[in-house]
Amino acid sequence: MSARLSAADLGFRVRGDDEQSLFKWLLASFLFGKRIGHQVAAATWRVLVDTHGLDSPCKLRGCTHAQLVAMLGQGGYARYDHSTAERLRLLCDTLLEQYDGRVLGMLEAADNRDDFERRLLRFKGIGPVTLEIFMREAGPALFGHGP
């Protein structure tokens, strides 16, 4: 795994018309945006998505805090497991409550790319690093050009 994670490293491609790929990339960006090794973040993403099928906000939000903590630990993401589990649940809550559970819903609500990025930064647990990771692949897919 390279220091610059890509969706291809995880076995999929981010497409601007594919909600599932956008959410999977948001989840990957969220995990990789934390101070944790890339190998651990990738392994944890695989546990969540490949092993447990948590590829949508509804599916992820259906897990209890304890279940998420266990899955994060299974991937080796133990250092921040409780806070990350809570922030993942909050991320899904916000997507579900404000954007119909869709990254594309956030795109539809945004006036432009800058507004979309501001909306992402309002999610608890998403800061500039996570935003940069997410927009590196989602930006061109959603807006048709690079960052």
Side-chain angles (χ1 to χ4, degrees):
M1 177 82 50
S2 69
R4 279 181 59 108
L5 166 79
S6 73
D9 292 326
L10 296 172
F12 71 99
R13 194 182 80 152
V14 177
R15 292 191 358 247
D17 62 347
D18 179 31
E19 181 62 37
Q20 186 179 58
S21 75
L22 289 164
F23 181 74
K24 285 166 54 173
W25 183 240
L26 180 60
L27 181 57
S29 301
F30 185 90
L31 294 171
F32 275 80
K34 306 298 177 255
R35 292 182 179 167
I36 197 124
H38 285 144
Q39 295 293 342
V40 170
T44 302
W45 184 89
R46 286 185 177 96
V47 167
L48 293 171
V49 175
D50 294 341
T51 303
H52 295 282
L54 303 178
D55 57 5
S56 75
C58 285
K59 290 177 184 176
L60 199 145
R61 190 56 184 98
C63 296
T64 67
H65 179 81
Q67 288 171 325
L68 282 175
V69 168
M71 287 181 237
L72 291 167
Q74 185 181 354
Y77 209 100
R79 183 173 174 195
Y80 301 108
D81 55 356
H82 287 279
S83 63
T84 300
E86 183 59 30
R87 287 186 177 148
L88 284 172
R89 289 169 59 86
L90 289 171
L91 178 134
C92 291
D93 285 346
T94 303
L95 273 175
L96 289 163
E97 292 167 8
Q98 295 182 15
Y99 302 110
D100 195 30
R102 299 167 37 250
V103 175
L104 289 171
M106 189 174 10
L107 178 67
E108 292 160 6
D111 294 329
N112 52 42
R113 182 184 174 125
D114 288 340
D115 186 33
F116 181 83
E117 290 182 7
R118 278 191 296 277
R119 288 169 185 271
L120 269 175
L121 287 170
R122 288 187 201 129
F123 285 84
K124 188 170 178 97
I126 294 185
V129 172
T130 300
L131 176 67
E132 187 278 325
I133 294 168
F134 180 75
M135 293 305 289
R136 187 171 63 227
E137 289 194 39
L142 293 170
F143 297 96
H145 49 78

